[in-house]
Amino acid sequence: GAAGGGAAAGGRLHWGAALVYLAVATVLFAVVGLSVAHLPWSDNPKVIAFPGQPWLSGWVQWDSAWFHDVARNGYSYVPGEPSSAAFFPAYPLAMRLLSPATGNLLLAGIVVTVACGAASAVLFSTWARERLAPAAAATALALFLLYPFSFFLAGAVYVEALFMASILAAFLLLERGHPVWAGVAGAVATATRHVGIAVCAGLVLRALERRGGLARPPGRRWAVDVGRLRPADLGVLLSAAGIGAFAVYLWAAFGSPLTFVDAQRGWGLQDGLGTYLKFDVWDEVRDFRSPFAWAVYMSHPAMTVLAVAFLPRVFRRFGTAYGAYSVLAIVLPALALSNFFGMGRYVIPAFPCFAAAGEWLSERPRLRAPVLAVSAAGLVVTTSFFARGVYLA
């Protein structure tokens, strides 16, 4: 049970998870190199950044160019067109800060991703081992690292690894009685993606829960007692500083604190009933002409459904705060998309779902090896596709 796992863990960080992560990442770097090596260099603009180094070039795809642009040139915004103001600043800022050491902004992005990916593995393993039996925690870590979209944590010049590391750090710091530092880590998360606002809510709820201020007595409604919070607990509110600071900057630079929302409309992202009810899914599925396109497209709603399926277990095993956080981490990006495409990576921050799935799978040893093998094969395939420029998220 959770209590037994926590006692056994003793609050230690589980650095062995970093070795597991590095083993997985090494394989994926090899997959990227082999996938890109055969492409004609003259037709592959990524070679400009890493000439003759396909094992690096394949990690620079799609949104990577936007992060590079922000890190190099700062923000721009043109109403009605795709603009860099849609991308939050923490990751490109980390690229810029590290670039003097690497000599290359994109290489700095890869290094940030690898370092934060390793940190995410350590922090997730620590969190899981404090709540699960050892076999369940190990299975959860394997699911987390072998998830078909976890290549975003392995080397891709994308925000996921930094986002994941800051989220896990925030919750672990709070669990160890450091709400102010938890708020600081949460601020990094909210400065990385707008969905980081789910972290603010999760930290507040968990702070309440830890003090006994969030409970549901048998046969009664939820009881919330804010008075149980101590002054230091309010430090978790610092987590809103990341998105708040970015909003202030956008207000000063472009006249609106919600410029990042307006900029997203340049990609056709719109609010409305059609978006919320995913009308586009049914139209787009009918248009597919190949099994490959259908499989790539449907993997995103499939991963969403799997994550949602484990939400009841998250509430039951890890409590209301982690359950509510997981709901927000899944629902907020899902509502913003008209067709679920992208949810493959957007469910990664719902880390309690991976823990719940790991525990469920550990209780079914005959399924564990086949499921992990299929997931690992999927990860190799998606990594290869991503490296060759297939749009996956």
Side-chain angles (χ1 to χ4, degrees):
R12 298 186 303 274
L13 291 176
H14 293 269
W15 295 105
L19 296 178
V20 177
Y21 166 84
L22 291 174
V24 172
T26 298
V27 171
L28 296 185
F29 267 82
V31 169
V32 166
L34 292 171
S35 299
V36 176
H38 74 281
L39 295 178
W41 291 117
S42 60
D43 295 335
N44 184 12
K46 297 183 295 297
V47 74
I48 297 173
F50 302 110
Q53 296 177 298
W55 58 284
L56 292 176
S57 297
W59 292 115
V60 183
Q61 300 288 353
W62 302 101
D63 287 353
S64 303
W66 287 103
F67 296 121
H68 178 267
D69 180 55
V70 173
R72 183 175 183 178
N73 303 314
Y75 282 103
S76 63
Y77 172 60
V78 179
E81 297 182 10
S83 302
S84 61
F87 296 88
F88 274 45
Y91 186 73
L93 179 59
M95 291 170 63
R96 178 180 289 185
L97 292 175
L98 190 60
S99 62
T102 63
N104 184 305
L105 279 169
L106 291 172
L107 180 58
I110 293 173
V111 171
V112 170
T113 294
V114 171
C116 291
S120 297
V122 171
L123 296 171
F124 176 75
S125 178
T126 300
W127 185 90
R129 285 181 176 270
E130 292 175 359
R131 288 160 180 80
L132 302 175
T139 304
L141 178 65
L143 281 175
F144 182 65
L145 294 181
L146 298 178
Y147 174 64
F149 288 88
S150 282
F151 65 84
F152 283 107
L153 305 178
V157 182
Y158 269 66
V159 304
E160 268 59 42
L162 175 60
F163 192 48
M164 197 69 252
S166 58
I167 291 170
L168 286 160
F171 280 109
L172 275 177
L173 284 164
L174 178 58
E175 298 292 359
R176 281 154 172 70
H178 305 294
V180 173
W181 286 112
V184 172
V188 176
T190 62
T192 303
R193 276 184 56 202
H194 71 280
V195 182
I197 199 69
V199 181
C200 301
L203 290 174
V204 170
L205 290 173
R206 184 58 187 148
L208 272 168
E209 199 171 48
R210 282 168 49 84
R211 300 297 186 193
L214 181 64
R216 186 181 185 182
R220 299 177 62 184
R221 295 182 179 180
W222 289 108
V224 178
D225 185 0
V226 178
R228 287 180 175 268
L229 290 174
R230 299 176 184 175
D233 293 329
L234 298 180
V236 299
L237 297 177
L238 289 171
S239 57
I243 191 171
F246 187 45
V248 169
Y249 165 79
L250 293 174
W251 196 359
F254 305 111
S256 170
L258 297 179
T259 300
F260 66 89
V261 176
D262 297 331
Q264 291 175 5
R265 296 194 175 101
W267 279 272
L269 297 177
Q270 301 290 339
D271 297 329
L273 187 63
T275 296
Y276 300 146
L277 296 182
K278 307 295 179 277
F279 290 158
D280 287 354
V281 172
W282 318 115
D283 294 334
E284 292 171 8
V285 167
R286 287 200 301 268
D287 289 340
F288 290 148
R289 297 293 182 266
S290 73
F292 170 78
W294 189 89
V296 169
Y297 186 89
M298 293 305 295
S299 66
H300 296 276
M303 295 301 103
T304 307
V305 169
L306 277 174
V308 170
F310 283 102
L311 286 174
R313 192 178 186 115
V314 170
F315 275 96
R316 186 169 66 251
R317 290 290 288 112
F318 309 129
T320 302
Y322 285 114
Y325 161 74
S326 299
V327 170
L328 291 173
I330 296 169
V331 168
L332 289 179
L335 284 177
L337 298 169
S338 64
N339 56 9
F340 287 109
F341 200 86
M343 285 301 295
R345 68 181 168 105
Y346 292 151
V347 301
I348 295 175
F351 66 93
C353 292
F354 286 91
E359 184 178 54
W360 181 88
L361 193 58
S362 71
E363 296 167 354
R364 294 159 177 81
R366 292 186 178 181
L367 283 178
R368 182 165 47 196
V371 168
L372 291 177
V374 169
S375 187
L379 175 59
V380 169
V381 170
T382 54
T383 302
S384 179
F385 286 163
F386 178 81
R388 287 181 284 166
V390 176
Y391 185 60
L392 295 176

